[in-house]
Structure formats: C-alpha cells, structure tokens
Amino acid sequence: MKTGKANVLLWVITYLLPLAPAAWLIFAILNDHATANPVQYLERRSGDYALALLLITLACTPLRHLTGRSYFTAMRRSFGLFTFFYALAHFLSFIGLDYGWKFTSIQQAFAGKIFLWLGLIALTILLLLAITSFGFSRRKIGKLWQWIHTLTYLVGLIILAHFFLSIKGNAGTLTGTYFYPIFTFVLLLLLLILRLPAFLSLVEQLRGKINKLLRK
Amino acid sequence: MKLTDTEKVTPEALFLSRRKFLKLAGILGVSAALAACGIQPQTETSTATGVPITGVLENTPFPGDTLTPYELVTNYNNFYEFSLNKEDVAQKAANFKTSPWQFTVSGLVNNPISLDVSELIKKYVIEERVYRMRCVEGWSMVIPWLGFPLQKLLAEAGVRSDAKYVKFTTPYDHDQFPNDGAYGFAWPYTEGLRLDEAQHDLTLLAIGLYGKALPPQDGAPIRLVVPWKYGFKSVKSINGIELVSEQPQTFWSSASPTEYGFFANVNPAVPHPRWAQDTERRIGELERRPTELFNGYSEVAFLYEGMDLVKNF
C-alpha cells in the first residue's frame, strides 16, 4: 500500500532527482569547480549524464516486470525525457558554447568526424522519442509507438559508438580508457536480454519470489 | 621570435596570477634593458628544489597574448602517468620525488653526460621564455617558462655526425607514476625530435614556470618545450636524452599512428580524426580563436621546406 509519504518520494525520484546533475553542473561552473576548461567540462558531463539516464530509463521496464510496480512506467517516461534533456544540453554546449554558433566552425568540426555524426543521429532519434512520449501520441499511433520506442536500444548502441570513438587512444587495440564504454555496453546488452521473450517467463517466476521478499 | 613591443603584453593578466609568484610584469617590462646592462633580475628562490632560479627574458611574447594564470597552468595537465583526468593530475602528483634525479645524455655523442639534474641546471644561464602551448585537444595556454635551450646541452655533449634524431626518455617507475603499465600504452613515455628541430633556439629544456621550479604536474624536474608542436611532443619529467640515427618510436604515435604523427606540428589545415584543428580555445577564454601554422612561430618554417605537411603530420 502506498502511503502519502511514499508517493512524495516517488514523485521526487521521478521528476526532481534527474535534475540533480544539472544543478551540480550549474553550481560547479559558478564556483570554479569545472576545471580550467569549463566548456569542455560541461560538454563531457552532460554527455555522461545523458548516457547514464538512458541506461536507467532502459532499466525501468525490466524492474517493472520483476517487481510488478506500475510506477516504473511513469519513471521510464520521465527519465527518457531527461535523457533527451541532457543530450540536448550536450549538443547545445558543443555548437553554442564551444563553437559559438558559428556555422563554418561547426561544419569544420563535423567534417569527417563519424563520432559527431553518430551523436547527431542519436539526438535526432531521441527527439522523435521525446515528441512521441506523451499520452496523446501514444494513443494516436498505437502499435507504431511500441516499435518507435524500441529504438531506445538503438540509441544506446549509437551513443556507445559515439563515446567509444571519442576516446583518446586507439579503439582498435583498446589502448586508452575504454573501460567505461565497454562496461556500459555490457550493461546495455544485459538490459536488452532482460526484454527477450525467453527471459520474460523466467522473470514471471522470479517475480513471485521478489514480491514475497519485498513484502517482508 | 617576432620582435614586438613588450608593453603590449597585458599587465593586468600578470597581476591576476598570484602576487607571490613573480614581479613578472617588471621582468617582462625591464629585463631587456637590464640584460643589456648585464644585470640579471633575481626572482624568487624555488622552494621545491632549493635551486635559486634567475630569469632573463630572452624572447618577446606575441602581441595581444595574455599569460595563462598560474592556477590554471598548474591545475589542468595532461600527464597520463598520474591521471587521465587533467584536473586530477596536480593532486596525484603532489608527492612526486624529483631529487635525486639522474639525467643522462647518451648515444651518438662524443661526451656522454650523466649527472644529477640539480647539477645539470647549474651549468646554464636560466632564461625566461614566454611561449604558447597548443594542445592537440584544441586548447592552448601562454606560459612563462624558465629554462635553457636544448642546443646548449647538445653542443656540450658533442653530437656525432651520424646522429639524426634526438630521443627523450622518462622513468618507468610504478611507485612514482601510478599509471605506468596501465591502459595498454607503450610506457614509459618517450618522445623524439629531428636533430635540426632539437637544435633550434626555440626548443627549450624547461625547469620552471612563473619564476619558480616546475611543479610535478607540469613536468618536474626538467621537461622539453617545443612551442610550435602539439603539447604531447613537449615531454615531461625527462631523465634521458639519446642521440640516435633512426626516427625513434614515440608514446602517442605508438598508441595510434594514424592520429599522432612524429612531427605533430601545429597546423590548422591538418585535422585530427577527433578534433578539427583550425581553431582553439585559450584556457580562461570562452571564444575560440583561429589556430596558426606552427602555432605562430613562423621562424621554424624553413625546417620543413619542401615537405608535405599533410603526409608528415
């Protein structure tokens, strides 16, 4: 049974907690905690937060399956929208802050840089997902909605390629700090496996046990 | 160096850097005159190594260039031996021991040198050089180094005629450099220059910045500074120089030969796979500025005459 307090807590987790990283970024920049190169700091951190939130978003449905708690649906939509919010901040800090909205500079920056184009593709798909995340569009497009929103996994893969190629080192020989993108890739695969039909029956079995544990 | 009016180096920026680090404004303004009279302005005694550092300004900064504040120069460092995060290097390098520090000059030389770095630096007049530092990642700084031209050391060692390249080595020391051996890189960090590049007067062995001994995060006790090349060529914490006949392997070109060339001259026309190199951000500034060929040091252009700079990136 949900008490009023639990509802408030859920609301805070769903709608306020994802704003904490943004609050930190603003605080860090205003108080000189954003390194000697705050523009780069903002670029990197907003990207990190977008990726982390994407994974958290993808964890919501498996968690709902495992626990049967319906509030994970609301969380999924909110976290998904915040993923787009941080991705957009990431993009805007790049073209606006870093390249000062100068078209020729931005064009130069994108020239031949596959990882930047991948980021742009991921952002475009996230925009599509954000627009269609509201109830009315879900009702309007029905089955298509389901299909469109499975693209979230594709976004995850594209973002990981974007991340992977942006690292200073050698992606071919894994010379450099490839731990984080690889770790994130494993998490993404795990989350994908949790959605496979074969796995869902196992989840059904687990669900009873988990609910028993939660009630204790 | 381009000889320009020293007055144009904005004095406000100098005062921005902590008072105690230097009466640099004074040095910049009057050192030329003092040097002409044979007087060397005294700067602070280094606390880190106990080496009294005297500086004579031996070059003129570019007009309009503003010194990057000491706090930023010493808290934003690419020094992978300590950390891959530029903002974490200063703290992780805080206990780096630079004494004793054996320094050798070996290979194709007539008079090999091996002595402690504290002895080595006593042999040379320490000059102050205000240089631009352009990182391959697209940011840059302007730093008042203290040091002496590498060519003086090479002259003392007596370079043999079969020597064509200079190789710079650093210690492999897991106790001191926590990342030595990690991430698949070809540790220890090594770098190289062609002999004529190494003998150019701009090429500096730096032992200090802002009138003080180098802090560990900036490459104590002695480092290379080659201002017309991307920063990764300016190898930190050197313990050996070797004269060789073949082009030496270098840290970054071993990691990714297609991305980091041996020459690594600053060149806005040659993009890096991850960074377009036509613009850069001066640390402390918001707006990007155009990057100049050879980082503005056009006097080195003759070294590359007839060379394809795209191929020899």
Side-chain angles (χ1 to χ4, degrees), chain B residues 38-96:
Chain B
I39 301 162
Q40 291 181 7
Q42 280 273 318
T43 61
E44 266 182 64
T45 299
S46 150
T47 48
T49 63
V51 180
I53 288 173
T54 54
V56 196
L57 184 72
E58 284 293 331
N59 77 328
T60 314
F62 289 90
D65 270 5
T66 302
L67 292 185
T68 306
Y70 183 86
E71 285 79 357
L72 300 183
V73 174
T74 54
N75 283 294
Y76 194 69
N77 310 94
N78 266 321
F79 204 157
Y80 271 29
E81 284 85 337
F82 292 109
S83 171
L84 276 56
N85 296 322
K86 290 182 274 293
E87 60 273 28
D88 295 339
V89 171
Q91 190 211 334
K92 293 201 170 165
N95 296 320
F96 188 63

Side-chain angles (χ1 to χ4, degrees), chain A residues 65-110:
Chain A
H65 289 158
L66 283 167
T67 63
R69 302 296 155 109
S70 60
Y71 50 70
F72 282 116
T73 308
M75 277 186 189
R76 185 181 65 180
R77 199 185 75 174
S78 173
F79 293 164
L81 281 168
F82 276 112
T83 302
F84 173 66
F85 167 77
Y86 283 103
L88 188 65
H90 181 58
F91 177 67
L92 292 180
S93 62
F94 183 75
I95 64 161
L97 271 181
D98 203 348
Y99 285 91
W101 308 105
K102 290 193 183 79
F103 183 74
T104 46
S105 290
I106 297 164
Q107 201 178 21
Q108 194 80 16
F110 271 81

Side-chain angles (χ1 to χ4, degrees), chain B residues 31 35 39-41 54-58 125-129 146:
Chain B
S31 67
I39 301 162
Q40 291 181 7
T54 54
V56 196
L57 184 72
E58 284 293 331
V125 175
I126 301 304
E127 305 174 16
E128 176 145 71
R129 304 259 185 127
L146 293 170

Side-chain angles (χ1 to χ4, degrees), chain A residues 58-201:
Chain A
L58 288 174
C60 286
T61 303
L63 281 171
R64 197 190 67 214
H65 289 158
L66 283 167
T67 63
R69 302 296 155 109
S70 60
Y71 50 70
F72 282 116
T73 308
M75 277 186 189
R76 185 181 65 180
R77 199 185 75 174
S78 173
F79 293 164
L81 281 168
F82 276 112
T83 302
F84 173 66
F85 167 77
Y86 283 103
L88 188 65
H90 181 58
F91 177 67
L92 292 180
S93 62
F94 183 75
I95 64 161
L97 271 181
D98 203 348
Y99 285 91
W101 308 105
K102 290 193 183 79
F103 183 74
T104 46
S105 290
I106 297 164
Q107 201 178 21
Q108 194 80 16
F110 271 81
K113 308 284 186 289
I114 293 167
F115 82 104
L116 290 181
W117 290 104
L118 287 172
L120 198 58
I121 291 167
L123 184 72
T124 310
I125 301 174
L126 280 175
L127 174 69
L128 177 74
L129 294 172
I131 290 170
T132 57
S133 70
F134 296 96
F136 65 89
S137 71
R138 181 169 196 176
R139 284 188 297 274
K140 216 167 194 178
I141 56 180
K143 270 229 161 89
L144 184 63
W145 189 95
Q146 280 292 347
W147 186 84
I148 287 174
H149 282 251
T150 55
L151 289 177
T152 316
Y153 291 93
L154 179 67
V155 170
L157 286 175
I158 296 172
I159 287 178
L160 282 179
H162 165 76
F163 186 14
F164 210 78
L165 293 172
S166 75
I167 285 169
K168 205 169 142 187
N170 187 334
T173 58
L174 295 186
T175 303
T177 41
Y178 290 96
F179 173 78
Y180 286 108
I182 291 170
F183 177 73
T184 320
F185 179 67
V186 171
L187 282 183
L188 185 73
L189 279 186
L190 215 70
L191 289 167
L192 188 61
I193 289 167
L194 289 175
R195 299 296 301 275
L196 296 178
F199 207 83
L200 282 177
S201 57

